[in-house]
Amino acid sequence: MWVKPNNMSNVLSLTFHFPTPTVGIKKKSKVPGVMITQFIETLPDGKSHPDFTRKPIALTIQEGKFAFFKAIVTGDPQPTLTWSRNNGDVSDTSRYQSKYDPSSNEHTFEMPNVAPDQADTYKCFATNEYGQAMVTVVLNVIEVGYKKTKAQQQAAEIMEGGFKTILKRKSKVCPKSEQPEKKEGEIDPKFWELLISADKKDYERICAEFGVTDFRWMLKKLNEMKKEREEEQAQFIRSLSNLKPIKVNADGTASFEIDMDLIDPSSSIFLYKDGEMIPYTKELGDKMKHSLKQIGKKYIFSMRDLVPDDAGLYQLDVEDVNMFSTDFKIPMVDFLVKIQEVKAKEREDAVFECVLSNPFSKILWFGRNMPLEQGDKYDIEVSEDKLIHRLVVKDCMVADKGIYCACAGIKSSSAWLVIEADKDANKGKKTARKTTRAGGSGMDLQKIAKEQQAKLEKAKEERKEQIKAAKEAAAAAPPPESHPTAAPNNAPVVAESTATKQSKNPGITSGLSDIYALQGKPAELHVKMNIDCDGTWFKDGKHLNSGAGITITKDGNSHKLTIQSCSDDSSGVYQFASGEHSTQGKVTVGDIPEFDPDDLHKFSKPVIVRVGQNATFKMPFPPQESLGVSWFKDGTEIKDGGGVKIVRERNHSRLLFRDCLRTDTGEIKIQLKNQFGAIEATSELIVLDRPGPPEGPVKTVETSSSIIEIKWNPPKDDGGSAVTNYIIERQQTGQSLWTNLGDVSGDKTSFRDRNVTHGKKYKYHIYAENPEGMSDALETADSIMAGIMILAGPPGAPNVVSTSKSCITLTWTPPEDDRGVPIIGYQVEKRKKDTNQWIALNTLNEPIKDVKYAVKEVSEGAEYEFRVTAINKSGSGDPSPPSAMACAKNPNMRPCFKDPEEFIVVRAGNSARVKICFEAEPPPQITWLKDDEPISSWISIINTEGTSQLVIPNSKRSDSAIYTIKAKNSVGEASFDIDLRVTDEPKAPGPVELKQTVHGKLVVSWAPSPDHELDDRLYYMVSQHDSLTRVWKTVADRLFTTTYTAINILPGTEYHFRIYAKNDMGLSDPSQSPTWGINSNRVISAEASFERPPSISVPLKVHTPPKGYQLFMTCAVRGCPTPTVSWYLNDVCINSDSNYYITNSFGVCSLHILRVQPKDSGEYKVVAVNSFGKAECSAKTVVRGKLYLRVRKCVWFVMKSLFL
């Protein structure tokens, strides 16, 4: 039994005293169910009231187990945690222990060896000087076994009227042992409990089950009980909704669920079955039969390991008030044939079917643990006898695969649905839906169901006979023995027996019942008495005698009335009376439903439609009361839903099939049924479609060098119309093209292909065609060869022509005997040494046309042997003898250098790298020399396969020399010289002098560059400028002397000369000559003008000053008249900005910034303007942060340490 906590408040055994708070402010916690009281209005900074981050969880546990609650609290200062209970104290340390773990901040309240009297509502208080947090938690203890002392104690408490009261349920549903004796006419309390929780649509079913017929009285009393129940429920819950009755799930469990919003989350929840409390668990999972799962406001109660004893009334109570009642009924049914695994192709229908042991109107189907309903995706079919149940998964896709389950009561059957992807489908395109069905049980279900129906009928008749025999035995039992006074001795014995016989009263053992009789057919009424006695027949109160179509007979204690030919006048109430006993029954005469002959003839004509079209059947009939109309297809009743629509009108019924499939073809039957019998009309639905593929396998009737004859079988399904012809396609092996060979008539199932080539192999496709289209193809399983296979003889053994580490070249000779069939190519195979596997280097579809081949699929250093096979139209012939073993390595060769550089120039200070590539076998020994002397140790030599590299780090001019590389191996030796020059840009030449010795010629001389002696490749270049052209032009180049004679020197013309030093690195700065022609040669006109537009002689430079530093920017501007100079930052004039100090002194323009900031970054531009024109120059300035300076400084120190 369970022990429920008593909610009556008792005096707590532990009392805690705190300073009386001035304020009691209620605060809200983030954790539901926690009540917080703050003692002061404003909390000091950094302080907080207590709160729970993890509250204790309600616990239901078995007696004798270890029970504990855990909690985690926060607050500053650290709160003090205390525990109490509503009914009792927690001071006994042997039963209650409080612990604290500083590492996890967890408070634990432990109860070892928990007892039933410890079941209660517990409270946990967290308190500090600023507030208090409180939470309640319920402990339920499942008591093990029956304890006599406990029962006596409770009885004593009830007798003595103690302070504690035992909580009693308000529900009137009691355990069987406590149920009072039921009075006649009294309604079972289960009836009202079920009605309160049921939907209105279920009222009629429940009333019929409990025999209640006065619905007006029932509804009136139900409303009163509902109002009273809602008032009781309002004490514990805010709302109650979504009441779902108990049902069996796909996993074999049963469950019911409700949405319930509890006022107090710690309220106790109890579960009852037929009035008896049953234990359940929230945490033990599968260890207990019953379990509760809470998700928000939703409560789900489930029950596993179902057995027939689990049937009953289940009720859910909160405290002592019932919230929900549901009746769990388990029908006695089992699977005679279980569903089987189905393997279906994509876009094909899959069928699961089973047979039950007893009729069942509807079973539950599940797919991948989800309930399935009749619709566009699924068809759920039930046979007329309700024994065969079928699930059709329409238009299967790969996503439909999984486990499917059929549930009947508590019995279930599961099987896999395996979907094979359509390999022939075009990628990205949806294939057409198939008209075939996969699956089924593979058994004759109709036969099994028929045999089971016969067994059920036989068992039913046997039960009727047993009941009848029991009634007869009860009626024939002698009455209680009486003790009359003794008769005189001289009384005759005959008189005694007569008196005894007369004392037995007549009685009816088998009475009349209501019957339905057909017009014009005989009908019989039987009555059986317990003794042989007379009786009288009546009809509608009138006495009946034999005659006028009625015959009355008597055979011992059996009485029979026979109506020879029933008519409308025969209907009425018939009564049989014998003495004080009578029985009556009603005879109703009528006819079975009838069809109009014209309508029946019209209905019997087949309905022919194409796939995808709708098919409609309509059958008129005379209007009748209590007429049942049913539609069947191939003996299985059709239900409304999915692609089927059934319409029932007063005088007709229509059946509609939407989007018909080929599988919808079959016999369609309508049945009209009333009390007198049933009548059926049959039609046929023919859905026309393209035929199925011809039946294989394809047989080869004849094959020769010029003919291939094949044969096949007609398709199983002709699509509803005869096959008109067969279309044949052919593909040659090794090719991708299919060729149409033509067609043959539908009555022929063979074809002769006369256009074949001897030795070639072919595949064939055969299509069946009817007026609706062409079928899928039937393909030959194997390729068929034209004629007999003739293979070529073996070629000559391959010869190895050359080898290298990546290639081995072979040659061979053709076969001596091609056997009359031309050779189209060869196949080469290789075998690695110490292995047995021959690997083909080319496929038969890509034969080698020549008699030589370069094998590149080799590994360096490995040894191989090769063989060759000749290929003709029949295939590959016998292989040649293998070649000699050949090793994949380069042949011995003298070293040679590949495209080396003879002259290399390197800037002084940079590293010098000289890389030389070479070829040699075996690998050579490499030696480097500098001017025929061994190189210094600080020069690095890096040798790799095929290359050698000389590296001089931080080269100097002294490293310039002739470097020689020598490569030597066992075959020979080679060397090569490289001229390496380490130099730098030359310095400018010395002062320039001009001297004229001859008219029209001018001698220009200059002092040599300081690098003249250091660099033997240094030379000079002369540029000339005159006042006529005002253009600098090169007049001499590659001068190895320091003089130059300029010609065509004109008097009155001003000349300037610039001298450049030049070497392999580039040009030096120029040396400027004095102006020639100013005084002696130039004649200045009095009217000469010096006006010119502005020009920038010295442009601005890029600056990157650190933040906070000074910045000077300068440029030189000239022009006549003196130009006006403007400064711009990012195209904004800054001449008037006080942050910039701007000056212009004789054409030198300066800008000064005392402390640069990031806003001073940008593009600075100087614009000079006068009346003759405009000139401008610009440069970018970037202000750097302090981090940039540190990084730059670190880089400088690193570079310095590397060079030192």
Side-chain angles (χ1 to χ4, degrees):
M1 64 175 288
W2 278 47
V3 178
K4 296 176 58 176
N6 193 343
N7 291 334
M8 297 180 58
S9 300
N10 290 339
V11 179
L12 300 179
S13 59
L14 296 180
T15 305
F16 303 93
H17 300 280
F18 299 98
T20 303
T22 57
V23 182
I25 304 172
K26 299 296 182 182
K27 292 290 183 177
K28 187 175 181 180
S29 173
K30 294 182 180 179
V31 179
V34 177
M35 293 179 287
I36 299 177
T37 304
Q38 186 172 304
F39 294 157
I40 60 178
E41 292 184 358
T42 305
L43 293 173
D45 293 340
K47 303 299 181 181
S48 63
H49 58 69
D51 194 3
F52 285 84
T53 59
R54 174 182 173 182
K55 69 175 185 177
I57 300 175
L59 180 64
T60 300
I61 196 169
Q62 186 175 331
E63 174 188 359
K65 300 293 184 180
F66 180 79
F68 62 89
F69 297 122
K70 285 188 177 181
I72 300 178
V73 297
T74 59
D76 191 6
Q78 179 72 26
T80 302
L81 204 74
T82 56
W83 297 82
S84 66
R85 56 179 290 190
N86 281 0
N87 305 302
D89 60 67
V90 293
S91 58
D92 188 353
T93 56
S94 63
R95 306 185 72 188
Y96 303 98
Q97 299 174 8
S98 297
K99 296 181 180 180
Y100 174 66
D101 185 0
S103 60
S104 61
N105 199 28
E106 280 188 344
H107 295 266
T108 307
F109 186 64
E110 299 178 350
M111 289 166 277
N113 195 20
V114 66
D117 62 346
Q118 291 178 274
D120 203 346
T121 299
Y122 289 78
K123 294 182 179 179
C124 181
F125 298 89
T127 311
N128 64 11
E129 57 185 289
Y130 299 112
Q132 183 183 72
M134 188 269 288
V135 65
T136 61
V137 60
V138 175
L139 173 65
N140 292 318
V141 180
I142 302 174
E143 191 169 357
V144 180
Y146 173 76
K147 293 181 172 53
K148 184 176 180 181
T149 56
K150 182 68 177 181
Q152 292 174 350
Q153 179 182 353
Q154 290 182 353
E157 288 178 351
I158 296 174
M159 295 284 292
E160 296 172 6
F163 292 105
K164 294 184 180 181
T165 60
I166 298 176
L167 187 65
K168 293 186 178 180
R169 296 185 68 210
K170 295 182 179 179
S171 174
K172 295 182 180 180
V173 178
C174 304
K176 292 182 180 179
S177 58
E178 301 177 9
Q179 287 181 358
E181 184 177 353
K182 186 177 179 180
K183 300 178 181 179
E184 184 177 357
E186 184 180 0
I187 298 177
D188 194 331
K190 293 181 181 180
F191 170 73
W192 299 111
E193 295 293 344
L194 289 175
L195 278 181
I196 291 174
S197 301
D199 290 336
K200 291 183 178 179
K201 61 183 176 69
D202 296 326
Y203 286 178
E204 184 176 354
R205 175 184 59 81
I206 297 174
C207 289
E209 182 179 344
F210 286 87
V212 177
T213 57
D214 191 346
F215 293 101
R216 187 185 299 272
W217 168 80
M218 180 272 293
L219 291 174
K220 182 179 179 180
K221 185 170 182 180
L222 179 63
N223 290 333
E224 295 175 356
M225 297 182 70
K226 275 190 173 182
K227 185 176 180 181
E228 182 182 349
R229 180 63 56 85
E230 289 172 358
E231 292 176 356
E232 295 174 351
Q233 292 175 347
Q235 302 176 15
F236 301 101
I237 62 172
R238 297 187 182 92
S239 63
L240 185 68
S241 60
N242 294 334
L243 309 178
K244 296 184 179 180
I246 193 166
K247 62 179 182 179
V248 179
N249 303 317
D251 57 357
T253 63
S255 63
F256 66 90
E257 58 185 67
I258 62 172
D259 288 355
M260 183 169 59
D261 187 7
L262 294 175
I263 297 175
D264 183 3
S266 62
S267 299
S268 300
I269 299 175
F270 301 96
L271 186 64
Y272 294 87
K273 175 181 175 290
D274 293 332
E276 295 184 3
M277 185 185 297
I278 55 176
Y280 66 87
T281 179
K282 296 181 181 179
E283 300 177 359
L284 298 180
D286 291 339
K287 293 185 178 180
M288 291 187 66
K289 185 179 182 68
H290 305 87
S291 62
L292 164 66
K293 182 180 180 182
Q294 181 181 358
I295 305 174
K297 296 180 182 180
K298 184 182 292 294
Y299 293 81
I300 304 173
F301 290 83
S302 59
M303 173 170 51
R304 68 183 190 93
D305 299 336
L306 300 178
V307 294
D309 291 341
D310 291 328
L313 178 69
Y314 287 82
Q315 294 180 285
L316 174 69
D317 286 15
V318 175
E319 297 299 343
D320 59 343
V321 177
N322 176 253
M323 299 293 164
F324 180 57
S325 299
T326 178
D327 194 14
F328 186 31
K329 295 183 178 179
I330 300 178
M332 300 305 294
V333 66
D334 203 350
F335 288 88
L336 296 181
V337 177
K338 296 187 176 182
I339 62 175
Q340 305 295 323
E341 179 180 311
V342 178
K343 293 184 179 179
K345 294 183 178 179
E346 194 173 3
R347 305 229 64 189
E348 191 178 29
D349 291 355
V351 180
F352 294 96
E353 52 189 9
C354 60
V355 180
L356 303 181
S357 60
N358 285 297
F360 211 72
S361 59
K362 182 181 179 182
I363 67 174
L364 300 179
W365 290 94
F366 297 89
R368 295 164 295 172
N369 288 330
M370 297 295 292
L372 307 180
E373 298 292 341
Q374 176 79 24
D376 294 336
K377 183 63 180 175
Y378 304 100
D379 272 346
I380 297 176
E381 302 172 356
V382 184
S383 63
E384 188 176 0
D385 56 16
K386 295 181 175 54
L387 291 178
I388 303 175
H389 294 256
R390 187 177 289 109
L391 170 69
V392 181
V393 184
K394 297 184 284 189
D395 195 9
C396 291
M397 296 296 179
V398 177
D400 294 326
K401 69 178 181 180
I403 297 177
Y404 286 74
C405 178
C407 292
I410 61 173
K411 301 293 184 178
S412 64
S413 174
S414 303
W416 270 92
L417 172 58
V418 181
I419 306 298
E420 298 178 1
D422 193 349
K423 299 179 181 178
D424 299 331
N426 295 328
K427 293 185 177 178
K429 294 184 179 180
K430 192 173 182 180
T431 58
R433 182 177 173 186
K434 294 180 173 59
T435 59
T436 56
R437 280 188 174 185
S441 63
M443 305 170 67
D444 189 352
L445 301 188
Q446 294 289 346
K447 180 179 179 182
I448 297 174
K450 190 174 181 181
E451 292 175 353
Q452 181 64 16
Q453 185 71 19
K455 292 180 181 178
L456 294 175
E457 289 293 336
K458 183 179 179 181
K460 185 177 179 181
E461 292 298 329
E462 290 177 353
R463 285 196 299 270
K464 286 184 177 179
E465 291 295 332
Q466 291 175 359
I467 295 172
K468 186 176 180 180
K471 289 182 178 179
E472 291 177 354
E481 293 182 2
S482 58
H483 300 278
T485 56
N489 294 333
N490 57 358
V493 178
V494 177
E496 181 180 355
S497 68
T498 305
T500 304
K501 184 175 181 180
Q502 291 177 351
S503 67
K504 187 172 183 180
N505 297 323
I508 300 174
T509 59
S510 177
L512 297 177
S513 60
D514 295 342
I515 63 171
Y516 295 91
L518 294 176
Q519 288 274 6
K521 301 292 183 181
E524 294 182 352
L525 300 174
H526 293 270
V527 176
K528 200 170 196 179
M529 304 296 293
N530 61 342
I531 60 175
D532 186 1
C533 62
D534 294 331
T536 308
W537 289 90
F538 300 88
K539 178 195 174 191
D540 296 330
K542 297 180 179 180
H543 183 268
L544 292 179
N545 294 313
S546 294
I550 295 177
T551 303
I552 299 175
T553 59
K554 175 179 177 296
D555 182 12
N557 58 354
S558 295
H559 300 260
K560 181 171 69 172
L561 183 147
T562 303
I563 305 174
Q564 297 172 0
S565 179
C566 293
S567 62
D568 293 338
D569 295 337
S570 302
S571 298
V573 177
Y574 288 78
Q575 184 180 15
F576 175 82
S578 177
E580 297 178 356
H581 300 278
S582 66
T583 178
Q584 68 179 18
K586 184 178 180 182
V587 176
T588 305
V589 179
D591 284 323
I592 62 174
E594 292 182 353
F595 293 118
D596 183 87
D598 294 337
D599 294 333
L600 184 61
H601 177 71
K602 184 178 179 181
F603 180 80
S604 62
K605 294 181 179 179
V607 175
I608 303 174
V609 296
R610 290 185 172 88
V611 167
Q613 294 181 342
N614 296 340
T616 305
F617 293 86
K618 181 179 179 181
M619 189 63 190
F621 46 78
Q624 292 185 22
E625 296 294 335
S626 303
L627 181 64
V629 181
S630 302
W631 290 87
F632 298 87
K633 176 182 174 291
D634 294 332
T636 302
E637 185 175 358
I638 303 173
K639 298 295 184 180
D640 192 3
V644 178
K645 179 69 176 176
I646 297 176
V647 179
R648 165 73 189 277
E649 298 292 345
R650 185 170 177 270
N651 59 349
H652 73 272
S653 179
R654 293 195 309 273
L655 171 65
L656 171 65
F657 288 92
R658 296 191 184 95
D659 301 329
C660 290
L661 300 175
R662 176 64 183 155
T663 52
D664 292 329
T665 298
E667 182 187 66
I668 304 298
K669 183 170 63 177
I670 183 173
Q671 182 188 76
L672 304 182
K673 189 175 183 180
N674 63 9
Q675 303 92 330
F676 306 101
I679 188 172
E680 296 177 347
T682 304
S683 183
E684 186 178 5
L685 173 61
I686 300 175
V687 182
L688 300 181
D689 193 8
R690 59 194 186 101
E695 284 294 299
V698 178
K699 297 179 181 179
T700 304
V701 179
E702 179 185 356
T703 175
S704 65
S705 59
S706 59
I707 293 177
I708 294 179
E709 182 178 358
I710 55 176
K711 187 177 182 180
W712 60 91
N713 296 318
K716 282 186 177 179
D717 181 11
D718 60 3
S721 55
V723 175
T724 57
N725 58 330
Y726 295 96
I727 300 172
I728 292 87
E729 290 181 347
R730 185 186 73 185
Q731 181 194 54
Q732 184 176 324
T733 302
Q735 297 182 1
S736 59
L737 180 65
W738 285 90
T739 305
N740 191 332
L741 300 180
D743 54 21
V744 296
S745 60
D747 57 349
K748 291 186 63 178
T749 56
S750 63
F751 180 78
R752 291 171 68 88
D753 185 6
R754 300 179 182 275
N755 185 21
V756 294
T757 304
H758 179 71
K760 294 290 185 181
K761 293 183 178 180
Y762 301 93
K763 285 187 176 182
Y764 292 89
H765 277 172
I766 301 102
Y767 301 88
E769 188 176 27
N770 68 2
E772 303 304 319
M774 193 165 61
S775 71
D776 295 334
L778 168 64
E779 184 175 345
T780 53
D782 299 316
S783 299
I784 304 173
M785 176 179 286
I788 302 172
M789 184 179 294
I790 301 176
L791 304 176
N799 295 321
V800 179
V801 177
S802 64
T803 62
S804 68
K805 63 181 181 181
S806 59
C807 180
I808 298 177
T809 304
L810 306 172
T811 63
W812 59 88
T813 57
E816 296 180 357
D817 182 12
D818 60 8
R819 296 173 184 172
V821 181
I823 294 174
I824 60 176
Y826 300 91
Q827 183 183 52
V828 179
E829 297 176 293
K830 70 175 181 180
R831 184 181 71 84
K832 197 173 183 179
K833 187 177 180 181
D834 298 330
T835 64
N836 296 324
Q837 184 181 9
W838 286 94
I839 300 173
L841 302 178
N842 64 299
T843 63
L844 296 177
N845 297 334
E846 299 175 349
I848 300 169
K849 303 296 184 182
D850 205 351
V851 291
K852 62 180 180 180
Y853 184 68
V855 182
K856 297 182 178 180
E857 296 83 0
V858 295
S859 300
E860 184 180 359
E863 294 186 51
Y864 299 90
E865 63 178 353
F866 304 90
R867 68 182 184 185
V868 182
T869 303
I871 302 173
N872 60 15
K873 293 179 180 179
S874 297
S876 59
D878 298 330
S880 69
S883 67
M885 280 288 180
C887 183
K889 65 176 184 177
N890 293 330
N892 293 341
M893 64 179 295
R894 182 175 176 270
C896 65
F897 299 100
K898 297 189 296 184
D899 302 326
E901 296 184 41
E902 297 181 0
F903 182 76
I904 299 175
V905 179
V906 180
R907 185 188 297 274
N910 291 350
S911 62
R913 294 178 179 270
V914 182
K915 185 177 180 181
I916 303 297
C917 297
F918 59 85
E919 289 182 348
E921 187 67 30
Q925 180 181 359
I926 303 298
T927 305
W928 286 85
L929 300 176
K930 178 182 177 182
D931 293 334
D932 295 331
E933 297 291 336
I935 60 176
S936 303
S937 58
W938 51 274
I939 298 177
S940 301
I941 304 298
I942 302 173
N943 293 324
T944 58
E945 183 180 358
T947 60
S948 181
Q949 186 173 214
L950 179 142
V951 181
I952 305 175
N954 195 17
S955 60
K956 302 185 289 294
R957 289 180 181 268
S958 60
D959 293 325
S960 298
I962 301 296
Y963 289 84
T964 304
I965 179 174
K966 291 185 177 182
K968 182 179 180 182
N969 65 4
S970 59
V971 180
E973 182 179 359
S975 64
F976 185 79
D977 295 334
I978 303 98
D979 187 359
L980 176 64
R981 292 299 179 96
V982 180
T983 182
D984 207 341
E985 293 179 356
K987 296 176 182 178
V992 181
E993 295 180 358
L994 303 178
K995 183 178 180 181
Q996 187 173 26
T997 57
V998 179
H999 182 74
K1001 293 184 180 181
L1002 187 64
V1003 177
V1004 183
S1005 61
W1006 60 88
S1009 169
D1011 295 329
H1012 189 84
E1013 297 296 332
L1014 299 175
D1015 193 346
D1016 58 352
R1017 294 174 62 86
L1018 185 138
Y1019 55 92
Y1020 299 95
M1021 184 180 74
V1022 180
S1023 296
Q1024 176 182 315
H1025 178 276
D1026 60 71
S1027 58
L1028 295 177
T1029 61
R1030 297 184 180 182
V1031 175
W1032 286 96
K1033 59 182 178 180
T1034 301
V1035 295
D1037 197 2
R1038 298 194 67 82
L1039 296 175
F1040 289 93
T1041 64
T1042 57
T1043 60
Y1044 168 72
T1045 301
I1047 61 175
N1048 298 327
I1049 302 299
L1050 302 177
T1053 303
E1054 181 180 298
Y1055 293 91
H1056 294 84
F1057 295 91
R1058 289 177 180 172
I1059 312 300
Y1060 297 88
K1062 193 174 182 181
N1063 65 3
D1064 295 315
M1065 296 305 297
L1067 289 172
S1068 69
D1069 293 334
S1071 293
Q1072 192 79 29
S1073 73
T1075 303
W1076 177 262
I1078 295 179
N1079 298 321
S1080 58
N1081 298 74
R1082 188 176 60 177
V1083 178
I1084 302 175
S1085 171
E1087 298 179 357
S1089 175
F1090 295 97
E1091 293 177 340
R1092 64 175 65 182
S1095 62
I1096 307 295
S1097 56
V1098 178
L1100 293 173
K1101 294 183 179 180
V1102 176
H1103 293 269
T1104 56
K1107 179 181 176 183
Y1109 281 56
Q1110 294 186 25
L1111 172 64
F1112 287 94
M1113 301 178 68
T1114 59
C1115 67
V1117 179
R1118 65 181 180 179
C1120 186
T1122 303
T1124 301
V1125 178
S1126 300
W1127 287 80
Y1128 292 84
L1129 172 59
N1130 295 330
D1131 297 327
V1132 177
C1133 183
I1134 58 174
N1135 281 13
S1136 59
D1137 195 332
S1138 60
N1139 292 325
Y1140 306 93
Y1141 181 64
I1142 300 173
T1143 60
N1144 187 354
S1145 178
F1146 301 100
V1148 178
C1149 302
S1150 303
L1151 181 143
H1152 181 207
I1153 304 175
L1154 292 177
R1155 294 180 180 274
V1156 294
Q1157 300 297 329
K1159 67 178 182 177
D1160 296 322
S1161 299
E1163 183 180 18
Y1164 286 83
K1165 182 167 64 176
V1166 174
V1167 179
V1169 181
N1170 66 7
S1171 57
F1172 289 91
K1174 171 183 171 184
E1176 64 182 35
C1177 67
S1178 62
K1180 288 188 177 180
T1181 298
V1182 179
V1183 178
R1184 302 289 186 179
K1186 293 184 179 181
L1187 179 62
Y1188 170 78
L1189 296 177
R1190 295 194 189 100
V1191 172
R1192 187 175 178 182
K1193 195 170 183 180
C1194 292
V1195 171
W1196 185 83
F1197 277 109
V1198 171
M1199 296 298 294
K1200 184 177 179 182
S1201 62
L1202 287 173
F1203 287 116
L1204 293 178

